Amino acid sequence: MKENPFIPVASIFQAINQDKALAMGYDVNEFLNYSSVHKIRPHLAIQKGLQEGQAAAVAPMSSYQTVWETFANQSELERDTFLHDVFPSGFLWGTSTASFNVEGGWAEDGKGESIWDWFGHQGHFHMNQTANVACDSYHKTDYDVYLLRGLQSKLYKFSISWPRIFPTGIRNSFSLQGVNYYNKLINSLLDSNIEPMVTLFHWDLPRALQDLGGWQNESIIDTFADYADFCFATFGDRVKFWVTFHEPWVISYAGYGTGQHPPGITDPGVASYKVAHSIIKAHAKAWHLYHDRYRSQQHGKVGIVLNSDWAEPKTPTSSEDVKAAERYMHFMLGWFAHPIFVNGDYPDILKSQIHQKNQQCSIPVAILPSFSEEEKSIVQGTADFFGLSHYTSRLISTAANDTCLPDYENIVNFSQHVDPSWPQTASSWIRVVPWGLRRLLKFVSQEYTGTRIPVYIAGNGVPTEDGGDVINDTKRMDYFRLYINEALKAVRLDAVDVQTYIARSLIDGFEGPMGYSQLFGLHHVNFEDGNRQRTPKESAYFFSSVTEKNGFPKEVMDRSFQSLRCDSPPPPRLLSLPASDVPSKAKVVWEKFSPQIKFERDMYFYGTFPDDFTWGVSSSAYQIEGGWDEDGKGPSIWDNFTHIPGNIKNNETGDIACDSYNKLAADLYMLTALRVKSYRFSLSWPRIFPSGRNDSINSHGVDYYNRLINGLTARNITPLVTLHHWDLPQALQDIGGWENDLLIELFDNFADFCFQTFGDRVKFWMTFHEPFVIAWAGYGLGELPPNVKDNPGYTPYKITHALLKAHARVYHTYDRKYRVSQKGVISLSLSTEWVEPKTLDDPRDVEAADRYLQFNLGWFAHPIFKNGDYPEAMKWTVGNRSELQNLPSSRLPAFTAEEKEYIRGTADVFCFNTYTSKIIKHKTTRLKPFSYEDDQERLEEVDSSWPTSAITGMRAVAWGLRRLLNWIKEEYGNPPIYITENGVGIQTKSDVDDTNRIFYYKTYIDEALKAYKLDGVNLRGYVAWSLMDNFEWLHGYSVRFGLHQVDFENPNRPRTPKRSAVYYAEVIRNNGIPLPKEDEFLYGEFPKNFSWSVATAAYQIEGAWRADGKGLSIWDQFAHTPSKISNDENADVACDSYHKLEKDLACLKALQVSHYRFSISWPRVLPDGTTKHVNEAGLNYYERLINALLASNIKPQVTIYHWDLPQALQNVGGWENETIVQRFKEYAELLFQRLGDKVKFWLTLNEPYIIANLGYGYGISAPGIFSRPGKAPYIVGHNLIKAHAEVWHLYNETYRPKQGGLISITINSDWAEPRNPDKQEDIDAARRYVQFYGGWFAHPIFKNGDYNEVMKTRIRERSLAQGLSESRLPEFTESEKQRIKGTFDFFGFNHYTTILAYNLNYTSTISSYDADSCST
C-alpha cells in the first residue's frame, strides 16, 4: 500500500543473517533481480522483529494487494494496448459444453431424471422452457465433432451426465446406453485428433440422490467417489484431462444459497457452506482415487474448475474498499481454491469474517464447517491443474448496511458495482472488462499456483440475445479478441503458466434459468426446428483463425509460400490408342451388365478404396465467390448475362453468391470439418486478368487465391484447380470469344501465369470444366452465355475445335516449362451421362446409344485419350449427313496430322463429371436446319421409376455410374480416373435434413466402389458436388446441391452443415463403405428343438370358393368387386389346394419341414359364421389334411382366423359388432372339439393390424371399409383383442388339460428406424410407429392388458383437440384388462421389412390412424 514505508534491502539481509527473519515462499533469483527502490513482493514475510533502529517493519502485502497495486497506476492506453504475439508451443485451444445444456434425450435409453430436468418440469425457467431436447446432442455426436474439426479445436471440454450412466446415482443402476454414448463421443474426438477434457459433475445431480439430501448429505461423498471410479475405469484409457467439479461456487451459491438453480434451496448461511464442504471433500477423494489407482497406468491429470470474477475496489483510495474487494476474491475463489491449492483449509479472511459476523449478531448468521487436521492433509494439493472460468469483473465497496440477515453480501460485508463505461452484454451479470482476466490470472498465479501448477482457462465467453442477427456476432468476436489477448499478456508479460484456453461454448444451449434466450455458442442452434441445425457464427471463424495462428502474431507479408512436397516423378504419358470401333466398347458393357436382374444390380456392396484414394468436394468461382466487381475484378460473360432481367430464375445473380471472396475462413472451416483430402475450385479469369490479358494483372485477385491455396495446403488439402469454369472475361467475348482463335493464345497466357504463380503448391490442374457445355449450351442452344445460337450445326463443332487446341496448348506449356520442377498433373474435366439402348437386341438402338456417348464424352475424350481425332461415329454421321444436306464438306472440322499428334495424349488422368443416366433409341432426325443435336439421330427417354431431382433430366440412376466407369476403362485403356463432380439437386430453401441426398451419395459411391473392387476400374478419386449451396446457373438459387446450406436471404450468407455433410465426412473417414459389424454374416446353428415351418392361408391357396357348401367370405365379396384387386383377379380357384392335398403334401415333404402353418376357412366350416349349420365337408377337408401331415411326421400349426370372415357376419357389422366376440369363441370351440386331439399348436388371429387398419381404416383389404378411419380401426382392434382373449381362456380352461397344446396370436410389425437417427423427432416417430403397429395388440396381451401409453396419449390428445369429449380409442374395463393380460403361450410374429420413420404433423381436423401415429 502506498503509505507503507519500504524496508532497505541491507536491513533485510542483516535480519536474515541474525536469524531474526524468515523468508517464505520467495524466489531468491527474483529477489536479487530487484533493486532497493523496488517494492518487496508479497511472498516475503518478516516474522521476527527488526531492530528498533531500523525502519519500522510492516506486514507484507497480500497477493491481492500486490496484483492490484501492480496495475493500479496503468494508464488506459497502457492497459488496453493490444499485444501481438503467440502463445507457447503446445498451447491447447478448445471449446466446451455441459451435458444438461446440450444433450437433450432427458429420458432416452433409461436416463434418470436430474435435478435440472425436475426443476425445468416445475416451470422454474424462462418461458417454461426445458432441456428435454436442448441441442439434441445425445443423438448428434457426429455433428458436434464435425463442428469441432471445423474450429480446429485441440480440446473439447464436456461433462458426463451422472444420471445418464447411473440413473439413480449409484452403480447398480448402470446404463449401458449412456456409457455407449460417451464412448462414442470420446472415440470420435480422438479420431479427429481432439483431446477430451471430461467434467464429472457439471451441476446435473441425479434426482434420486437429491431426494436423499443431495450435497447436504455427507454420504454423497462416497457415492460421488464411486461414480468417479467408474468413469476413470471406463473412459480413463482415453481421457487424459479430468475435471471433478465445474464451478462449485455456483452449485453452493445458486443452488443452495439463493435457490435460483436447482435444487432451489434458499439457505445462504448454512446449506451453501455445508454443500461446499462436501464438494471439496468429494473432489479430494476423487483426486486421491485417481492418483492412487489409475494415474500410473492412464497418465492423466485431474483438477477442478473454479469460477471467479476479478474484483477492483470501487474507490481505489479507500483501504476499506480494497479490503472488501479482497474479501470478495477469497469468498468467491478462495472458498474452494485455498483448501485445494494452499493448505487444506479455508482462507483466514473467510473464517475470520464469518466469525466476526456471528459475534456481531445474536444468533449465528453463517456456519462454516471446519476441516480436521487429517482432512486438511487429504484436501491440500489435490489438483494437477487450476481450472479457471471467468467472464467479467466487479467494483467492490464495503457494505453500506451492516445487518444480520443471512445474505451472501451481508455475510462477507461488501457491495457489488459496475463501471457504467464497461460495455453491457445480453446478460445482466456480464460486463466486458477484458483487463480483469490478466489481473485475475496473476492473482491466481501468486496466491495459488506459482510455477508448480498450470492454469487452464476452462470457461470464457459472452452471450448474445436470441433474435436479430445471431450469426454476425461481432460483439462476441470483440470479446474473445480482447480477453484472449489479456490471457496472452498474462503469459508473455507476467509469466503466468496458462496452458489452455477454452471458449464457452461450442453451440448455443439451454442456459439454465434463462432457457434459450441467451446464446453463448460459437454455433447457432435453431431450437424451433426439430433438426436443431448448427450454423457457424462469425465468431466460430474468428476463433478458428486464432487457434490456427496460436494467438495474434504480427502480420508479416510473406511471399515465400510453402510448397506441397511431391517426391513422385511426373506421371507417364498415356499410351496411344486406336480409334473407337462403331459401336464402341459400350456394347461390351451393355452385354456384360444387361443379364443382371434388378436385385443383383442394386445389391449393396461393402468395401473400401485404396489408402491413397482422393476424396474431395467442389465449387466454381462464379457460383460461390461473389465480389463480382470488388478490388478491380473485371466483368465476366456471366456477370453481364445475369444482369439482364429474365435470363435467370427470379432474376437472381452471382453478384454476391456465397460471398466466398470475403468468407475464406468460412470455406476453410467447412473443408476442414469434412476431412476432405482435396478441394476442387476454379480460378476466375477476370478476377486475375480483368481484361482477360496478362497486361492487366489484379493483385487482389491473386492474393485471394494465394490465401485460399495456402489455407488448403496448411490443412493438408490438395487443391484441384480448374483454369476455366465458364466465366470468360467479357472483354474477350467482345472480340468473339472462343470463335476467335486468338483466345487459344490468351488462354495459354493466363494458364502460364497461374502455373508460375500457384504451381509451387498446386499439383493438380484442369484446363476446362465441361467444355461440352461451353460448346453446345453456349454456342449451340445458346441457353448459357455467350448465348450464340444462330448456327447450331456448325458453331459448336468450331468451338470444340478451338477448345481442344487451347487445352493442348496449355498442356504442352505445363509439360515444357513446369512439370519437371512442379511435378503436377494436368487434364480437363469432361461430362457425360451413362446411357442404355432402349432395346439391346435392336442394332439401331445400340448404335444410337453409342453415338450419344461419342457425341458427348467422346467428342473431347477421343482426341485426347485415343488418337488426336474425333470418334469415327461422329465423323461418319456428321460427314454423311453433311453430304445428304448437299454440303461440299463435313460440318465437323478436321484436324491436320500435326494437330492430331499435338492433341493426342494431352491429359495425365481422366476426369469426368456425371449425375444421371438415360435411355436412348434410334430416331431418324430432320436434315434441316443443321443441328449438332439432330446429327446424333437418337431419342432420349427415362424410366419413370428412377427417382427425380430438382432438375429435369437429372434422375438418380446409381447403377449407371458403374457401367460408365466400365466403359471408360474399356474404351480408353483404363487410365487413372477421377470423378470430379457428382451430386443431386433438391429444390427447397432448407434441406438440412437431406436424407435423399444421403441416399444419392450412398448409392453412387457404392457403384463406384463396385467398379473399383469388382471390375478393376482404375478409379483414383471421388469429388462431391458441391461444398455448399450456390448459384446454380439458370436455376439461380432455387436448386440446392450443397453439403452445406447457405441462407441467401441473410447478408452474412451463413453456412449450415447438412446431414449429408456429416455422412460424407464419415465415408471419407472410413475410406469407403466398410461392412458394419452388425451386418456381418453370423455362422452357427439354431437350437436342436428349433421348428422349421412354412405357411399358407386358406383364401390364398384353397380355391373352391363355392365347393361343397362353403359360404361366402368377405374376400370373395371384395375380390369380385371391380378394381379392388390388381388386374381384377380373384382367388376363386387360386392354387386349388382344396382338391390337391396330395400335391401340397409332396411339396412339404420335399422341403423337409417339421411343421406346417395353415389357416382354416371360417365360412368353409360355418357357412353363415354361426354354429347353426356345420359344413361337414369343409371340416372333413381339414381332418384329412391334418391326418396326412401327422402321417408324414409334420406337425400342424393352425390359424383359426386369417382374414376371411364369413360375409354373413360382415352383413351384421363384422368386427365392428361386439357380438362377433361370442361368434368367434363358438367357432373356435368347434375346432378345438373336432381337431384339438391332433392339433397342438393354435393361433387365434393372424395379423390383427391388417384386419383392423387395412380392412376398416384404409379400406384396401376386405371388407374394404374406409369411411371412418379415425374410429373404426380402433373398435375393430378392441373386439379382436377381446375375441382372442376369450378363445385363449376357453382353450386354457377347458381343452388344454385334455389336449395339452399351445395357443397364442400372430402379430405382425415392420421394424422402424428413424429416418434421421440424429433427430429426436424422428426417433420419437419410429417409436410411435412400432407402438401403433405391433404394440397396438402386443401391449395388452403381452404386458398389462391395456394399450400402450403412446397410443392412449396421442389418440386422447387428438380426440380432445377435435372437440370430442373422450378418446376415439376405446377403453378396457379393469376386469377386461385382467382377462386380456397374459393370454399367450408364445409370441407369434410375422415380419417382412423395415421402414424409415419420420414425423408428420397432421392437423387436428384429420381423424385417422396415420394422423394419430404422426409418422410414416
Side-chain angles (χ1 to χ4, degrees):
M1 292 180 289
K2 292 181 180 178
E3 66 271 26
N4 292 340
F6 303 117
I7 305 167
V9 176
S11 299
I12 295 172
F13 274 111
Q14 184 180 12
I16 292 173
N17 291 332
Q18 294 175 357
D19 197 24
K20 295 181 179 180
L22 176 63
M24 298 184 62
Y26 201 86
D27 186 335
V28 69
N29 292 313
E30 181 182 355
F31 179 85
L32 293 174
N33 284 334
Y34 281 82
S35 69
S36 60
V37 298
H38 283 89
K39 297 178 181 178
I40 303 304
R41 295 306 179 189
H43 293 297
L44 183 62
I46 306 299
Q47 294 194 338
K48 293 186 177 180
L50 297 174
Q51 294 181 5
E52 292 182 2
Q54 297 170 330
V58 296
M61 288 188 293
S62 67
S63 297
Y64 177 80
Q65 292 169 325
T66 302
V67 172
W68 178 67
E69 288 210 2
T70 298
F71 295 103
N73 294 323
Q74 273 189 325
S75 67
E76 284 193 19
L77 178 62
E78 181 185 1
R79 183 193 70 191
D80 298 338
T81 297
F82 198 84
L83 175 64
H84 288 279
D85 204 340
V86 296
F87 287 85
S89 176
F91 192 83
L92 291 177
W93 296 93
T95 184
S96 65
T97 60
S99 53
F100 83 91
N101 291 129
V102 302
E103 282 182 7
W106 80 277
E108 287 286 300
D109 297 331
K111 175 186 172 291
E113 187 178 32
S114 77
I115 57 174
W116 281 87
D117 296 322
W118 167 75
F119 214 57
H121 297 157
Q122 300 300 309
H124 290 296
F125 299 141
H126 177 71
M127 296 179 65
N128 292 322
Q129 292 170 339
T130 72
N132 288 358
V133 179
C135 308
D136 204 13
S137 286
Y138 183 67
H139 300 114
K140 294 184 182 296
T141 299
D142 294 337
Y143 276 87
D144 290 346
V145 176
Y146 187 94
L147 306 179
L148 289 161
R149 284 199 304 270
L151 286 174
Q152 303 182 82
S153 186
K154 298 176 183 177
L155 190 72
Y156 178 44
K157 179 179 178 289
F158 65 93
S159 70
I160 291 176
S161 169
W162 190 345
R164 191 175 296 286
I165 59 173
F166 289 178
T168 65
I170 57 177
R171 190 185 289 253
N172 66 8
S173 65
F174 159 76
S175 168
L176 179 61
Q177 293 95 329
V179 171
N180 288 343
Y181 164 67
Y182 293 112
N183 271 326
K184 179 183 178 182
L185 174 57
I186 291 166
N187 292 340
S188 297
L189 290 170
L190 293 173
D191 183 65
S192 295
N193 298 313
I194 301 166
E195 282 288 337
M197 175 182 276
V198 179
T199 302
L200 291 170
F201 186 69
H202 193 132
W203 310 354
D204 51 345
L205 188 71
R207 171 80 188 282
L209 295 183
Q210 185 59 44
D211 291 342
L212 300 174
W215 289 106
Q216 294 186 86
N217 184 338
E218 281 206 11
S219 68
I220 201 172
I221 297 169
D222 290 334
T223 306
F224 176 76
D226 188 55
Y227 159 63
D229 185 32
F230 176 87
C231 293
F232 296 151
T234 305
F235 310 118
D237 58 328
R238 290 151 293 154
V239 175
K240 305 308 173 189
F241 296 96
W242 292 98
V243 174
T244 55
F245 290 89
H246 180 85
E247 299 180 356
W249 182 88
V250 177
I251 303 168
S252 306
Y253 172 74
Y256 292 83
T258 65
Q260 293 171 300
H261 285 192
I265 293 171
T266 308
D267 186 5
V270 178
S272 68
Y273 293 107
K274 185 176 183 181
V275 164
H277 206 66
S278 295
I279 288 175
I280 292 168
K281 290 197 286 186
H283 157 80
K285 188 158 190 173
W287 187 90
H288 283 290
L289 176 70
Y290 187 85
H291 186 72
D292 297 341
R293 190 176 299 176
Y294 297 101
R295 191 187 300 277
S296 61
Q297 293 84 31
Q298 297 180 359
H299 308 291
K301 296 181 179 181
V302 180
I304 190 169
V305 171
L306 306 178
N307 64 298
S308 183
D309 306 332
W310 173 246
E312 291 271 312
K314 183 174 184 291
T315 305
T317 57
S318 168
S319 61
E320 291 303 312
D321 283 5
V322 173
K323 292 175 183 178
E326 185 169 4
R327 284 197 304 275
Y328 181 94
M329 295 303 302
H330 284 288
F331 267 73
M332 189 174 202
L333 186 59
W335 189 3
F336 298 90
H338 201 276
I340 295 169
F341 293 92
V342 180
N343 65 356
D345 199 5
Y346 298 115
D348 289 339
I349 290 178
L350 188 150
K351 291 189 292 183
S352 63
Q353 176 63 30
I354 292 177
H355 177 72
Q356 179 182 340
K357 177 61 67 172
N358 287 337
Q359 283 192 326
Q360 290 174 359
C361 301
S362 58
I363 58 173
V365 175
I367 299 176
L368 180 68
S370 59
F371 293 108
S372 68
E373 291 304 315
E374 182 182 7
E375 286 174 335
K376 291 176 186 177
S377 66
I378 291 172
V379 170
Q380 182 182 5
T382 53
D384 303 320
F385 57 84
F386 191 116
L388 178 68
S389 67
H390 170 74
Y391 297 90
T392 193
S393 295
R394 291 283 182 269
L395 296 179
I396 302 298
S397 67
T398 190
N401 299 311
D402 192 3
T403 71
C404 288
L405 292 174
D407 173 78
Y408 181 63
E409 291 191 5
N410 182 55
I411 294 169
V412 187
N413 188 24
F414 72 86
S415 294
Q416 300 184 61
H417 314 271
V418 295
D419 186 326
S421 69
W422 294 348
Q424 298 182 29
T425 69
S427 172
S428 60
W429 67 274
I430 297 179
R431 294 283 185 126
V432 181
V433 194
W435 45 265
L437 175 57
R438 179 183 177 186
R439 302 179 187 191
L440 176 60
L441 288 169
K442 190 165 180 62
F443 172 72
V444 167
S445 177
Q446 294 200 172
E447 180 73 6
Y448 304 115
T449 65
T451 59
R452 299 171 295 110
I453 296 174
V455 178
Y456 294 174
I457 299 174
N460 181 235
V462 67
T464 54
E465 292 178 352
D466 183 22
D469 190 351
V470 296
I471 300 298
N472 190 27
D473 55 341
T474 54
K475 289 183 179 179
R476 181 177 287 108
M477 286 190 288
D478 290 342
Y479 180 97
F480 280 135
R481 180 175 179 271
L482 296 174
Y483 272 79
I484 292 171
N485 198 251
E486 291 298 323
L488 180 63
K489 292 177 186 176
V491 172
R492 291 304 187 193
L493 305 182
D494 305 329
V496 180
D497 186 17
V498 180
Q499 294 187 1
T500 76
Y501 177 90
I502 297 173
R504 176 182 175 196
S505 62
L506 175 63
I507 49 181
D508 295 334
F510 180 78
E511 291 298 337
M514 300 309 298
Y516 301 104
S517 65
Q518 291 186 357
L519 310 176
F520 271 90
L522 292 163
H523 300 84
H524 175 63
V525 178
N526 184 351
F527 294 106
E528 296 179 359
D529 190 300
N531 293 298
R532 296 298 196 271
Q533 59 256 42
R534 290 112 156 93
T535 303
K537 303 176 186 178
E538 292 299 319
S539 58
Y541 306 134
F542 169 79
F543 188 67
S544 177
S545 175
V546 173
T547 298
E548 183 179 7
K549 296 173 182 176
N550 199 31
F552 306 98
K554 293 180 180 178
E555 296 296 330
V556 178
M557 295 301 291
D558 184 4
R559 289 294 180 185
S560 59
F561 306 112
Q562 182 179 359
S563 300
L564 282 176
R565 289 193 60 189
C566 188
D567 299 327
S568 58
R573 192 164 183 178
L574 298 178
L575 297 174
S576 177
L577 298 172
S580 297
D581 297 332
V582 181
S584 71
K585 297 293 185 181
K587 186 176 182 182
V588 174
V589 176
W590 292 321
E591 290 172 346
K592 174 182 177 180
F593 290 104
S594 60
Q596 283 185 324
I597 60 173
K598 185 176 184 294
F599 180 80
E600 180 187 2
R601 182 194 72 191
D602 298 337
M603 177 70 73
Y604 206 68
F605 179 79
Y606 292 98
T608 56
F609 290 93
D611 291 341
D612 60 352
F613 193 79
T614 297
W615 294 99
V617 69
S618 53
S619 69
S620 84
Y622 186 76
Q623 292 179 274
I624 69 165
E625 284 180 7
W628 79 279
D629 62 349
E630 280 190 51
D631 296 334
K633 176 187 173 291
S636 75
I637 56 176
W638 272 94
D639 292 321
N640 283 16
F641 178 70
T642 59
H643 291 163
I644 299 173
N647 280 350
I648 305 295
K649 187 171 184 177
N650 301 321
N651 289 324
E652 292 165 336
T653 74
D655 288 359
I656 301 175
C658 307
D659 201 20
S660 284
Y661 183 68
N662 297 302
K663 294 191 175 294
L664 179 57
D667 292 353
L668 291 172
Y669 170 104
M670 292 186 288
L671 293 162
T672 307
L674 275 171
R675 295 201 269 210
V676 291
K677 295 181 179 179
S678 66
Y679 177 43
R680 178 173 177 245
F681 62 95
S682 71
L683 303 175
S684 169
W685 191 344
R687 191 177 297 285
I688 295 175
F689 289 0
S691 69
R693 302 169 187 262
N694 58 9
D695 59 358
S696 63
I697 300 170
N698 176 18
S699 62
H700 297 289
V702 173
D703 177 65
Y704 167 68
Y705 292 116
N706 269 325
R707 288 186 290 113
L708 170 57
I709 293 166
N710 291 340
L712 294 172
T713 57
R715 291 163 173 77
N716 293 314
I717 299 172
T718 300
L720 311 181
V721 179
T722 304
L723 291 167
H724 182 56
H725 193 130
W726 306 356
D727 52 344
L728 190 71
Q730 183 62 43
L732 299 186
Q733 187 58 43
D734 292 343
I735 62 170
W738 289 106
E739 293 183 87
N740 186 337
D741 284 345
L742 179 60
L743 258 72
I744 296 172
E745 179 182 348
L746 295 177
F747 181 60
D748 184 52
N749 291 341
F750 171 61
D752 195 344
F753 175 84
C754 294
F755 297 151
Q756 183 179 8
T757 305
F758 310 120
D760 58 331
R761 290 150 292 149
V762 175
K763 306 303 176 185
F764 199 120
W765 294 95
M766 282 162 275
T767 56
F768 290 102
H769 171 85
E770 297 184 357
F772 166 84
V773 175
I774 301 172
W776 175 235
Y779 288 86
L781 289 173
E783 293 177 344
L784 304 185
N787 315 106
V788 176
K789 52 186 173 184
D790 53 356
N791 207 337
Y794 273 103
T795 310
Y797 296 125
K798 179 182 178 182
I799 295 302
T800 295
H801 217 61
L803 292 173
L804 284 166
K805 289 193 281 187
H807 160 79
R809 175 86 170 263
V810 169
Y811 177 91
H812 286 292
T813 295
Y814 187 80
D815 203 44
R816 184 180 71 255
K817 296 176 64 176
Y818 301 102
R819 188 187 299 278
V820 172
S821 61
Q822 296 181 1
K823 299 180 181 178
V825 297
I826 185 167
S827 187
L828 76 172
S829 183
L830 304 176
S831 58
T832 190
E833 300 95 9
W834 177 245
V835 294
E836 293 277 314
K838 173 78 171 176
T839 306
L840 187 58
D841 296 335
D842 185 340
R844 297 205 309 167
D845 284 359
V846 170
E847 290 191 11
D850 184 63
R851 276 198 304 276
Y852 182 95
L853 291 171
Q854 295 292 9
F855 267 76
N856 281 265
L857 187 63
W859 194 4
F860 296 89
H862 196 279
I864 294 169
F865 291 93
K866 298 210 81 166
N867 65 354
D869 201 2
Y870 297 115
E872 293 300 316
M874 283 192 78
K875 294 195 293 183
W876 171 268
T877 305
V878 179
N880 284 330
R881 286 177 63 84
S882 297
E883 188 172 351
L884 290 170
Q885 292 157 348
N886 298 316
L887 298 175
S889 61
S890 175
R891 286 179 282 104
L892 182 68
F895 291 113
T896 65
E898 183 181 7
E899 288 172 335
K900 291 177 187 177
E901 182 59 27
Y902 192 70
I903 292 169
R904 183 197 65 77
T906 54
D908 303 318
V909 293
F910 195 111
C911 302
F912 75 98
N913 308 331
T914 189
Y915 291 88
T916 189
S917 296
K918 294 177 180 175
I919 296 170
I920 300 295
K921 65 180 296 184
H922 174 79
K923 177 185 179 183
T924 302
T925 55
R926 61 186 179 178
L927 291 173
K928 292 184 180 180
F930 310 150
S931 169
Y932 157 86
E933 193 167 41
D934 287 337
D935 286 344
Q936 297 174 57
E937 297 182 344
R938 48 82 183 168
L939 184 67
E940 290 181 18
E941 294 182 5
V942 294
D943 186 327
S944 60
S945 69
W946 296 345
T948 60
S949 75
I951 296 179
T952 303
M954 277 196 183
R955 292 175 179 255
V957 193
W959 50 264
L961 176 58
R962 179 182 181 187
R963 301 182 187 192
L964 176 56
L965 286 166
N966 270 267
W967 180 61
I968 294 171
K969 171 194 170 188
E970 298 293 339
E971 184 74 1
Y972 299 106
N974 204 17
I977 300 170
Y978 291 82
I979 299 170
T980 47
E981 273 190 21
N982 182 237
V984 65
I986 298 173
Q987 190 157 2
T988 178
K989 282 191 175 182
S990 176
D991 64 333
V992 172
D993 188 7
D994 56 341
T995 302
N996 289 340
R997 181 171 287 111
I998 291 176
F999 288 164
Y1000 182 96
Y1001 281 126
K1002 190 174 187 178
T1003 52
Y1004 268 81
I1005 291 171
D1006 194 60
E1007 293 297 324
L1009 182 63
K1010 290 178 188 177
Y1012 169 73
K1013 283 284 195 182
L1014 303 179
D1015 307 326
V1017 174
N1018 189 12
L1019 184 61
R1020 301 290 186 85
Y1022 177 92
V1023 179
W1025 179 267
S1026 60
L1027 173 61
M1028 57 187 153
D1029 297 335
N1030 54 46
F1031 180 82
E1032 282 298 337
W1033 310 116
L1034 297 180
H1035 302 280
Y1037 301 104
S1038 65
V1039 175
R1040 308 298 182 97
F1041 274 88
L1043 291 165
H1044 296 83
Q1045 179 175 289
V1046 178
D1047 183 357
F1048 294 104
E1049 296 179 0
N1050 187 321
N1052 299 304
R1053 297 300 194 267
R1055 290 107 155 99
T1056 302
K1058 302 179 185 179
R1059 189 174 160 225
S1060 58
V1062 178
Y1063 169 78
Y1064 187 51
E1066 185 66 11
V1067 171
I1068 294 171
R1069 187 185 79 85
N1070 292 327
N1071 197 28
I1073 310 169
L1075 179 67
K1077 191 161 186 66
E1078 60 268 25
D1079 290 342
E1080 291 178 2
F1081 199 85
L1082 177 64
Y1083 291 91
E1085 294 181 352
F1086 288 90
K1088 295 297 183 185
N1089 62 346
F1090 193 79
S1091 298
W1092 292 99
S1093 185
V1094 67
T1096 62
Y1099 183 76
Q1100 292 180 277
I1101 68 164
E1102 285 180 5
W1105 74 295
R1106 300 313 307 269
D1108 297 336
K1110 175 187 172 292
L1112 288 175
S1113 77
I1114 57 175
W1115 272 94
D1116 293 321
Q1117 182 76 38
F1118 192 71
H1120 283 92
T1121 304
S1123 303
K1124 292 293 185 182
I1125 306 295
S1126 177
N1127 301 320
D1128 285 332
E1129 292 168 335
N1130 59 56
D1132 291 358
V1133 179
C1135 306
D1136 201 21
S1137 286
Y1138 186 73
H1139 299 113
K1140 298 185 183 298
L1141 189 152
E1142 291 78 11
K1143 290 187 176 181
D1144 288 355
L1145 190 63
C1147 293
L1148 291 165
K1149 290 179 180 178
L1151 288 171
Q1152 301 183 56
V1153 293
S1154 59
H1155 294 71
Y1156 174 43
R1157 178 176 172 237
F1158 63 93
S1159 71
I1160 292 176
S1161 169
W1162 191 343
R1164 192 177 295 286
V1165 175
L1166 301 176
D1168 68 354
T1170 72
T1171 53
K1172 294 177 183 177
H1173 169 61
V1174 177
N1175 181 19
E1176 291 295 336
L1179 263 175
N1180 179 258
Y1181 165 70
Y1182 296 113
E1183 287 172 342
R1184 288 187 294 112
L1185 172 58
I1186 291 166
N1187 289 335
L1189 291 171
L1190 293 172
S1192 301
N1193 202 28
I1194 299 172
K1195 297 175 182 178
Q1197 298 171 317
V1198 179
T1199 303
I1200 297 172
Y1201 180 67
H1202 194 130
W1203 309 354
D1204 50 346
L1205 188 72
Q1207 182 62 40
L1209 293 184
Q1210 183 59 42
N1211 292 341
V1212 295
W1215 286 102
E1216 291 184 89
N1217 187 335
E1218 197 170 359
T1219 61
I1220 200 169
V1221 175
Q1222 182 61 30
R1223 300 290 82 76
F1224 183 63
K1225 182 178 179 182
E1226 294 165 355
Y1227 160 54
E1229 184 161 29
L1230 173 67
L1231 299 184
F1232 297 153
Q1233 291 171 347
R1234 298 289 294 271
L1235 307 175
D1237 58 332
K1238 297 176 181 177
V1239 175
K1240 306 304 176 187
F1241 194 108
W1242 293 97
L1243 295 160
T1244 56
L1245 304 168
N1246 181 72
E1247 299 180 353
Y1249 167 86
I1250 303 294
I1251 303 166
N1253 196 34
L1254 274 64
Y1256 291 82
Y1258 300 156
I1260 59 174
S1261 182
I1265 293 171
F1266 55 85
S1267 57
R1268 301 179 301 282
K1271 193 166 186 180
Y1274 301 128
I1275 294 172
V1276 168
H1278 208 65
N1279 289 332
L1280 286 166
I1281 292 168
K1282 291 196 287 186
H1284 156 79
E1286 289 303 316
V1287 169
W1288 188 89
H1289 282 290
L1290 171 68
Y1291 187 82
N1292 188 57
E1293 295 160 10
T1294 305
Y1295 295 96
R1296 193 195 302 275
K1298 297 178 291 184
Q1299 297 178 357
L1302 301 174
I1303 185 167
S1304 197
I1305 187 172
T1306 292
I1307 291 169
N1308 68 302
S1309 183
D1310 303 335
W1311 176 245
E1313 289 281 312
R1315 185 178 69 173
N1316 183 348
D1318 306 321
K1319 185 177 181 181
Q1320 183 70 56
E1321 280 188 3
D1322 286 7
I1323 292 166
D1324 292 341
R1327 187 177 291 123
R1328 282 198 308 274
Y1329 184 93
V1330 173
Q1331 290 289 6
F1332 266 75
Y1333 202 148
W1336 185 0
F1337 300 92
H1339 200 275
I1341 295 167
F1342 293 89
K1343 296 203 80 170
N1344 65 354
D1346 198 6
Y1347 299 113
N1348 59 76
E1349 290 300 320
V1350 171
M1351 283 192 76
K1352 290 197 297 182
T1353 302
R1354 298 283 299 191
I1355 298 171
R1356 182 188 307 113
E1357 289 176 352
R1358 289 185 60 82
S1359 299
L1360 297 178
Q1362 291 158 357
L1364 301 176
S1365 59
E1366 60 183 6
S1367 175
R1368 287 178 279 104
L1369 181 69
E1371 294 184 2
F1372 293 114
T1373 66
E1374 289 304 315
S1375 60
E1376 286 174 336
K1377 291 176 187 177
Q1378 292 304 312
R1379 191 154 180 82
I1380 292 165
K1381 179 182 176 182
T1383 53
F1384 64 91
D1385 299 328
F1386 55 85
F1387 196 116
F1389 183 59
N1390 295 350
H1391 173 73
Y1392 294 92
T1393 193
T1394 296
I1395 62 100
L1396 296 178
Y1398 60 95
N1399 189 60
L1400 288 175
N1401 292 314
Y1402 288 88
T1403 64
S1404 61
T1405 57
I1406 299 176
S1407 176
S1408 71
Y1409 168 90
D1410 285 346
D1412 291 337
S1413 65
C1414 289
S1415 62
T1416 188

